[in-house]
Amino acid sequence: MTERHTLTSGASLSLLVDSSVLDSKITDTYKERVFNASASEDAEDETSPVETRVILVGDACSNQQLLKALEDIKMPCIKAESMEELGNLENTDFEAIFVLPDFKDPAFDYLNSPENRVLGPPIVMLCARRKEPLPFTSRPLYCASMIDMVLCFTGFRKKEELVRMVTLVHHMGGIIRKDFSSKVTHLIAFSTHGDKYRVAVSMGTPILKADWIYKAWERRDDLEFCAADEEFRNAFKVPPFQDCILSFFGFPDEERSNMEEMTVMQGGQHLPVGDERCTHLVVEEKNVKDLPFEPSKKLHVVKQEWFWGSIQMDARAGESMYLYEKSVSPALKKSVSLLSLNTPNSNRKKRRLRDTLAQLTRDTDISPFPPRKRQSAEHSLSMGSLLDISNTPESGKSPGDMPNSCSKLSKLTTPVPLKQSARWQVAMELYQTESNYVDILTTISKLFKEPLEMEGQLGGPILAPEEIKTIFGSIPDILEVHRRIKMDLEDLMINWSEKESVGAVFLNYSKDLVKAYPPFVNFFEMSKLTIVNCEKQKPRFHAFLKIAQSKPECGRQTLVELLIRPVQRLPSVVLLLTDVKKHTADDNPDKATLEKAIESLKEVMTHINEDKRKTEGQRQIFDVVYEVDGCPANLLSSHRLLVQRVETVSLSEELCDRGEQVTLFLFNDCLEIARKRHKVMNAFKSPHGHTRPPASLKHICLMPLSQIRKVLNITETEDCRHAFALVVRPPTEQENLLLGFQLTAEEPVKQEWLRILCRHIANTICKADSESLICTASPHSVDLNTKDMDSTLSRASRAIRKTSKKVTRVFSFTKTPKRTLQKALIVSSTPDETSPVRGGESFIGSLSSSSTLALIHECDTRITSFCCF
């Protein structure tokens, strides 16, 4: 026992250094033992194979699942329920594999040595499931939760805690490395300091807390569990600002409060500026000229880009790239450079020196040496210089940053006379705006879209591919079309003449514009909503936008403000082409071409508007489908549009109980009838995290408008207000049905609603006169009233009917609704039989065996007896 304890303690010390060293030593020892054994066996004439047996220790003897797993892999086992029995089995002629139910009991301490193979029940059952042999391991192996994982530790000071974590990792099949390398799969970090942390961030290695190991050990008996599961692992990520105390200087109060909230969300703390406990001072470099105090050497003074960059990549960024430096004014830089000149001999140089010294004492930002404007500069205006006059985000670029086309245009053109034709000036403005528009689309693509789509992002993808597609849509297609338009306009301006056709450029690309713009313009509102929601729900995306939008290419504009440019572009092009046409002579061939180009662009915009209207209509239909539980799938159709939604109360009991709230969805060819749900289910959550509100309505029926024979306008009385009725003939019924409703909202007005309904019924049945479908009837003649709809007695009656239905369904053997049985009886009845009719015998009589035309004629005749058209 003394030797075993010595081996155990030695192994524990080696774990702190590198488990790979222990692995190699154990492997060498094992090979030596095998070699010596084989050499001794070769000396004998006969060799006998060593038998392997499993020894179940303690409670493992009664584990039925374990016994079944050993039986499946045909492994003989011996039971040792006590320490005495275990001691008797120590000196045996077979190789023993000890299976312990727990690695905490005394038997584990007794057997824990490199000479013994100790396993846990989960690894045995997993091998049996996979039909694999039991693993050979010199360390105790309980489960396979961390198989093939290589871990490295950083920042831990307590030796006991580190030994405990290393031991648990080995029990779960993991490997420990002292030095960080590309083979390490997970870094366990106590803080965000140190070289290992920086290397892990740069390599994209997951950086996790120690709790990840402990929580994984708690699930050691779960055979399906893997510690590398992303959903499980993400809960233990080391936040970017762990062990960081931040303060913010130079920010507006609202923005500072937002950044302080983000700091707490990302695992950090915040204190007022100047507190000695702060580790970082985040500075708004655009507003701060000087710090209010002299920072200590331990304090990191960084720009705000460090803050947002850390959140974006979900790890603390290196401070060296984002250190704040005091800004030096250009005037002072120039003054200092002038002081470095040799001592002047002339009076002019002496004056410059005196002015320079005066400038340094005044400490002003105004240069003492303003450059004189050359008189010839006024006459050297060229097309290249005109392109620099713009208020777009690209106007502030240096000449080296200008697009190649602009530099090409500046090189190829000769100085242009100061006075040019109005047509040339408008054409130049058209080219200038087109060039700026292409630069904006390029900025959207290069600065936002492509980085979000990039693979191997630190911290994982910022947005899902579906969200990226929703936000940017067909921006690449729009950019490609306008790049070609810009090149054509560029060639036109380089080889300018009054006879050049400006309209032909846009006329040639009208078909491409029709294909590129509708997918983006139609879903722009959804794109904007997606940006807003993602920015609220995903801090990394919010940080990404902060960094990207702070760059000069954006011109201090947000992504939403940049994405609205495609929506505004075509109308502005039409205005510019109209201006070009206005300054084009009547005998110029381009005038007719410009008219065609303007008309083609207007057709494109009309097509976009029409397509947007259809898209909006289809979106409304989808909203109806989601809102109505059990809505038929055939409601979704490309030709169907939602016309109006009306809130009513049922006045009859044909479709539902009287007094129940009913919603009517009028489409161009059908009427969806739904009632309010009595019990609302939980909200639906999509795989992408979007939560849709639960269905608040229950489907009753989807009625084609062709089944509505008449629309009854019920006369207004004290007992009946805002009521109307529909005379319908479903194909499954042998008689007309009367469906009565009462409008509950002030909008729409009843007369207007009935006219809209009849107009669409007439369109469906190809009838020219829609007014003939409306009839006026008194409440008494159709037995409808609204007087007692909101009374206490009426509500109690409805509650009793609902309770009665529930009780009937509970004790019913067939579960067949009563209404279904009634319909079945009506269908099976003979034509001569009659059935009671709701709404009065004077209005709707029983059906005879005559044809449909005779039925309609009979119905109209009876209606005429009390209705006035």
Side-chain angles (χ1 to χ4, degrees):
M1 291 298 294
T2 305
E3 294 178 356
R4 287 181 178 175
H5 283 303
T6 304
L7 288 172
T8 304
S9 61
S12 300
L13 292 176
S14 65
L15 292 178
L16 296 176
V17 181
D18 195 338
S19 64
S20 60
V21 178
L22 181 62
D23 291 338
S24 61
K25 291 182 179 180
I26 292 173
T27 304
D28 295 340
T29 304
Y30 173 70
K31 289 181 179 179
E32 183 179 355
R33 290 169 55 196
V34 172
F35 175 77
N36 294 334
S38 61
S40 60
E41 288 174 359
D42 291 339
E44 301 177 359
D45 296 333
E46 295 181 357
T47 60
S48 57
V50 179
E51 183 183 1
T52 303
R53 293 185 182 181
V54 173
I55 300 178
L56 303 180
V57 181
D59 294 338
C61 301
S62 59
N63 191 330
Q64 298 300 323
Q65 294 182 349
L66 180 60
L67 295 174
K68 179 67 169 58
L70 293 174
E71 183 180 350
D72 293 339
I73 59 177
K74 298 179 180 180
M75 180 66 68
C77 65
I78 302 175
K79 297 181 180 180
E81 298 182 356
S82 62
M83 294 290 293
E84 292 76 10
E85 296 180 8
L86 187 61
N88 297 332
L89 295 173
E90 187 172 1
N91 298 320
T92 57
D93 296 333
F94 55 85
E95 182 180 359
I97 301 177
F98 299 95
V99 179
L100 280 73
D102 195 357
F103 283 6
K104 292 182 179 180
D105 52 26
F108 176 76
D109 296 333
Y110 179 79
L111 296 171
N112 186 13
S113 71
E115 299 177 355
N116 294 328
R117 295 172 64 181
V118 181
L119 301 179
I123 191 67
V124 176
M125 290 186 284
L126 184 63
C127 291
R129 177 184 296 182
R130 297 178 179 177
K131 298 181 179 180
E132 297 176 355
L134 296 179
F136 177 84
T137 174
S138 55
R139 290 195 192 89
L141 180 62
Y142 189 87
C143 62
S145 301
M146 289 190 177
I147 288 291
D148 298 331
M149 297 185 196
V150 182
L151 277 65
C152 186
F153 293 86
T154 181
F156 293 92
R157 302 300 180 188
K158 295 181 179 180
K159 183 178 179 180
E160 296 79 6
E161 182 183 7
L162 187 58
V163 171
R164 171 64 176 163
M165 288 189 294
V166 170
T167 303
L168 293 181
V169 171
H170 285 154
H171 289 347
M172 292 184 284
I175 302 174
I176 305 297
R177 291 288 181 266
K178 176 184 176 182
D179 299 322
F180 191 89
S181 65
S182 59
K183 295 181 180 179
V184 174
T185 59
H186 300 81
L187 177 66
I188 311 303
F190 183 78
S191 66
T192 57
H193 305 279
D195 295 335
K196 291 182 181 180
Y197 181 86
R198 294 262 63 86
V199 176
V201 170
S202 63
M203 297 181 64
T205 304
I207 305 173
L208 307 173
K209 301 178 184 178
D211 292 341
W212 175 64
I213 298 176
Y214 296 127
K215 291 296 181 181
W217 179 247
E218 290 178 2
R219 301 181 59 177
R220 59 187 179 274
D221 293 319
D222 186 358
L223 299 183
E224 305 295 336
F225 171 71
C226 178
D229 181 69
E230 186 174 2
E231 185 177 356
F232 174 77
R233 186 189 66 193
N234 288 342
F236 303 97
K237 280 186 176 181
V238 174
F241 301 136
Q242 181 169 306
D243 300 331
C244 296
I245 303 176
L246 279 59
S247 58
F248 303 92
F249 181 64
F251 298 93
D253 293 341
E254 184 178 355
E255 186 174 359
R256 187 186 70 252
S257 299
N258 180 34
M259 297 176 76
E260 289 174 351
E261 292 178 3
M262 296 288 289
T263 301
V264 176
M265 289 174 57
Q266 301 300 324
Q269 303 177 42
H270 60 85
L271 291 174
V273 176
D275 196 300
E276 296 180 354
R277 293 172 292 176
C278 290
T279 59
H280 295 77
L281 175 62
V282 184
V283 178
E284 169 54 275
E285 63 275 10
K286 297 179 182 178
N287 300 333
V288 176
K289 300 297 182 183
D290 198 4
L291 298 178
F293 61 93
E294 186 66 26
S296 63
K297 294 183 179 180
K298 296 181 179 180
L299 181 65
H300 299 283
V301 183
V302 293
K303 304 175 184 178
Q304 65 166 330
E305 190 174 355
W306 171 85
F307 178 82
W308 298 116
S310 300
I311 297 177
Q312 176 187 333
M313 64 183 185
D314 207 13
R316 202 187 91 187
E319 291 82 3
S320 59
M321 298 176 57
Y322 305 97
L323 293 178
Y324 169 77
E325 297 178 357
K326 295 181 181 180
S327 59
V328 181
S329 63
L332 293 180
K333 289 182 180 179
K334 187 172 183 180
S335 301
V336 173
S337 65
L338 288 174
L339 281 175
S340 63
L341 297 173
N342 295 329
T343 305
N345 295 325
S346 61
N347 293 331
R348 180 170 56 84
K349 291 184 178 181
K350 289 181 180 180
R351 286 197 306 270
R352 287 186 178 179
L353 181 57
R354 286 196 303 268
D355 294 338
T356 300
L357 294 174
Q359 167 64 19
L360 289 175
T361 56
R362 287 195 303 268
D363 193 20
T364 179
D365 291 336
I366 303 175
S367 174
F369 310 109
R372 292 187 177 182
K373 186 176 182 180
R374 293 182 293 108
Q375 295 180 357
S376 60
E378 298 178 358
H379 302 287
S380 62
L381 189 64
S382 64
M383 280 186 263
S385 63
L386 284 176
L387 295 178
D388 296 334
I389 306 173
S390 173
N391 58 355
T392 58
E394 288 71 26
S395 60
K397 289 184 179 180
S398 61
D401 296 334
M402 291 179 62
N404 296 331
S405 58
C406 296
S407 59
K408 175 183 174 182
L409 186 58
S410 301
K411 293 178 181 179
L412 294 179
T413 53
T414 56
V416 179
L418 188 60
K419 291 185 178 181
Q420 276 284 358
S421 65
R423 173 178 163 84
W424 178 89
Q425 293 179 6
V426 180
M428 176 54 68
E429 183 183 358
L430 178 62
Y431 170 77
Q432 175 186 341
T433 57
E434 186 68 22
S435 177
N436 292 331
Y437 179 58
V438 170
D439 290 341
I440 290 173
L441 294 179
T442 304
T443 298
I444 293 173
S445 181
K446 298 293 184 182
L447 206 60
F448 294 94
K449 184 175 183 294
E450 293 180 6
L452 289 173
E453 294 176 335
M454 187 182 303
E455 296 182 358
Q457 300 176 32
L458 293 178
I462 297 177
L463 294 181
E466 296 81 5
E467 293 170 332
I468 298 175
K469 180 64 176 177
T470 302
I471 291 174
F472 298 100
S474 59
I475 284 290
D477 300 332
I478 297 175
L479 175 58
E480 181 60 29
V481 174
H482 281 276
R483 273 179 178 166
R484 287 182 281 161
I485 293 176
K486 175 188 171 183
M487 292 175 61
D488 291 353
L489 287 175
E490 180 181 316
D491 294 337
L492 184 143
M493 298 308 298
I494 292 174
N495 306 304
W496 175 260
S497 70
E498 292 296 326
K499 300 298 183 181
E500 290 290 337
S501 178
V502 180
V505 175
F506 290 91
L507 191 61
N508 295 336
Y509 293 100
S510 59
K511 293 182 179 179
D512 296 327
L513 295 174
V514 170
K515 294 179 181 179
Y517 270 91
F520 180 83
V521 177
N522 293 343
F523 295 96
F524 173 71
E525 293 299 328
M526 187 180 297
S527 171
K528 186 167 62 174
L529 184 62
T530 303
I531 294 174
V532 173
N533 291 338
C534 290
E535 193 172 3
K536 290 180 180 178
Q537 300 170 4
K538 301 186 178 182
R540 294 182 60 205
F541 180 64
H542 177 73
F544 170 80
L545 292 183
K546 282 286 186 180
I547 296 173
Q549 291 168 177
S550 64
K551 296 184 178 179
E553 294 93 321
C554 289
R556 296 186 178 182
Q557 297 187 53
T558 64
L559 177 58
V560 174
E561 292 171 343
L562 293 175
L563 285 175
I564 203 174
R565 296 299 184 92
V567 181
Q568 302 170 341
R569 181 56 187 164
L570 291 185
S572 64
V573 171
V574 171
L575 294 177
L576 288 171
L577 289 180
T578 304
D579 204 6
V580 174
K581 174 188 170 185
K582 178 181 177 182
H583 296 91
T584 302
D586 294 338
D587 57 347
N588 193 325
D590 190 33
K591 189 152 191 174
T593 309
L594 284 169
E595 292 179 355
K596 293 180 181 179
I598 293 172
E599 289 301 322
S600 66
L601 289 179
K602 287 183 178 180
E603 290 177 2
V604 172
M605 291 188 291
T606 303
H607 178 79
I608 292 173
N609 293 334
E610 181 66 22
D611 198 50
K612 183 178 181 180
R613 186 183 64 83
K614 291 181 179 179
T615 303
E616 182 66 20
Q618 292 175 356
R619 187 189 64 81
Q620 291 176 349
I621 296 178
F622 274 102
D623 291 341
V624 173
V625 172
Y626 285 120
E627 186 179 2
V628 179
D629 181 32
C631 186
N634 58 0
L635 180 65
L636 298 173
S637 178
S638 58
H639 72 277
R640 184 165 292 139
L641 297 174
L642 178 63
V643 178
Q644 198 160 14
R645 171 179 177 156
V646 178
E647 301 294 337
T648 67
V649 172
S650 176
L651 300 180
S652 58
E653 297 184 358
E654 295 296 337
L655 299 177
C656 60
D657 294 334
R658 185 174 183 272
E660 202 161 4
Q661 297 181 14
V662 175
T663 302
L664 305 180
F665 297 95
L666 175 62
F667 296 89
N668 57 327
D669 62 341
C670 63
L671 183 68
E672 166 66 20
I673 305 176
R675 63 171 176 83
K676 184 179 179 180
R677 294 194 63 172
H678 305 305
K679 183 178 180 181
V680 180
M681 298 176 63
N682 294 331
F684 167 75
K685 188 173 183 179
S686 69
H688 307 298
H690 304 295
T691 303
R692 182 174 294 277
S696 58
L697 302 174
K698 180 71 174 179
H699 169 74
I700 296 179
C701 73
L702 180 62
M703 181 186 302
L705 295 183
S706 58
Q707 295 181 6
I708 302 177
R709 302 304 176 89
K710 289 293 179 181
V711 177
L712 302 184
N713 182 10
I714 307 301
T715 307
E716 297 291 322
T717 62
E718 293 183 0
D719 295 340
C720 189
R721 303 185 61 83
H722 309 297
F724 69 95
L726 304 178
V727 181
V728 299
R729 171 74 184 282
T732 58
E733 300 288 346
Q734 295 187 2
E735 60 180 13
N736 292 332
L737 301 178
L738 180 68
L739 308 180
F741 303 95
Q742 179 191 20
L743 296 174
T744 57
E746 296 181 358
E747 294 292 337
V749 181
K750 184 174 74 169
Q751 301 296 337
E752 182 63 25
W753 154 247
L754 296 180
R755 279 195 292 268
I756 294 173
L757 176 60
C758 290
R759 184 168 67 248
H760 284 86
I761 295 174
N763 293 337
T764 304
I765 63 177
C766 300
K767 190 172 183 178
D769 186 10
S770 61
E771 294 294 332
S772 61
L773 295 172
I774 303 178
C775 302
T776 302
S778 64
H780 177 72
S781 61
V782 292
D783 195 16
L784 294 178
N785 70 85
T786 61
K787 184 177 181 180
D788 58 344
M789 296 304 299
D790 296 329
S791 63
T792 305
L793 181 61
S794 178
R795 289 194 295 268
S797 177
R798 289 196 297 269
I800 292 173
R801 285 199 298 269
K802 292 175 184 177
T803 305
S804 176
K805 286 183 177 180
K806 292 180 181 179
V807 173
T808 303
R809 289 171 184 171
V810 168
F811 292 99
S812 175
F813 293 99
T814 61
K815 306 297 182 182
T816 306
K818 180 180 178 182
R819 192 175 294 110
T820 304
L821 293 175
Q822 291 178 347
K823 292 181 180 179
L825 291 174
I826 293 174
V827 172
S828 61
S829 61
T830 60
D832 296 333
E833 294 176 349
T834 60
S835 59
V837 181
R838 303 180 189 268
E841 289 294 335
S842 61
F843 172 58
I844 302 177
S846 60
L847 290 177
S848 62
S849 59
S850 58
S851 63
T852 305
L853 291 176
L855 169 66
I856 298 175
H857 177 72
E858 180 183 357
C859 179
D860 291 342
T861 303
R862 298 190 177 186
I863 291 175
T864 308
S865 62
F866 61 88
C867 297
C868 55
F869 293 87

